[in-house]
Amino acid sequence: MKLHKLVLLAVACTWALGAAAQWQWIDKDGRKVFSDRPPPQDIPEKSILKQPSYAAARVPAAAASAPEAADAPASAAAPAAASPRAPASAAGKDKELEKRKAEAEAAEAAKKKAEDDRIAKAKAENCTRARAAKATFETGAPIRQSNAQGERVFLDEAQRNAEVKRIDTIIASDCKR
């Protein structure tokens, strides 16, 4: 029974070895990237910070593009080192990144448009209220307002002219002609 537990423990420990095979590099945007797969071919060797100890050196792009210059064993090793999944996944990540950027830009534009619409609606309401207040002031009827103590007082001519001036500035700023 003790041997059975030891074997089970040994198997569990070997599963963790796969997690040690980590790549670390700095991408073109300057961010650190951690992955269990090698970096894309466009990442220079100097940007690779860490690679698994068993990983073979990456094949340079020039060597991959000129297989006739290399001998047969080296050209057979090049496709094995640069798996067909790496370029496809890199292109997929770029497309996914571009898609996310486009979605973020669209969301930002929608948010900006909603904010502009809200401001335009508020200005339209202010314009309507200001025009109604100006029409009331232009009738010549006595106007009452509350003072600081909450008492209702009639506006004299100077206060009335100051209020008309304030309403005119609101109309000038909020009403489009």
Side-chain angles (χ1 to χ4, degrees):
M1 186 68 167
K2 205 173 210 183
L3 180 63
H4 177 67
K5 288 181 181 178
L6 272 159
V7 170
L8 188 59
L9 180 66
V11 169
C13 289
T14 58
W15 282 337
L17 289 178
Q22 292 290 315
W23 289 83
Q24 180 180 355
W25 68 90
I26 298 177
D27 67 358
K28 59 187 171 198
D29 296 329
R31 295 179 297 212
K32 276 189 179 179
V33 178
F34 299 90
S35 178
D36 59 341
R37 296 183 182 194
Q41 293 294 326
D42 62 335
I43 303 295
E45 290 290 329
K46 66 179 183 172
S47 295
I48 298 175
L49 304 175
K50 181 181 171 189
Q51 64 184 14
S53 59
Y54 65 84
R58 292 188 329 167
V59 177
S65 65
E68 64 272 4
D71 56 343
S75 64
S83 70
R85 285 183 156 185
S89 65
K93 287 180 184 176
D94 288 342
K95 287 179 184 177
E96 185 178 324
L97 181 63
E98 289 175 12
K99 180 181 171 186
R100 276 194 248 142
K101 282 183 181 178
E103 289 173 355
E105 289 172 358
E108 187 69 29
K111 188 191 298 184
K112 185 175 181 344
K113 184 175 179 350
E115 181 68 19
D116 291 344
D117 290 345
R118 186 187 63 77
I119 290 171
K121 185 177 177 182
K123 282 187 174 190
E125 289 175 9
N126 287 345
C127 178
T128 303
R129 278 193 235 119
R131 285 187 174 160
K134 185 171 181 175
T136 303
F137 273 86
E138 288 176 346
T139 62
I143 304 291
R144 293 185 300 175
Q145 284 187 337
S146 298
N147 63 10
Q149 290 80 24
E151 301 169 341
R152 294 202 166 241
V153 293
F154 287 98
L155 295 181
D156 62 1
E157 195 62 34
Q159 292 170 329
R160 189 179 184 98
N161 288 338
E163 191 65 23
V164 168
K165 231 180 217 186
R166 187 183 72 79
I167 291 171
D168 285 339
T169 59
I170 292 172
I171 290 173
S173 68
D174 289 349
C175 298
K176 303 262 180 178
R177 296 185 191 253

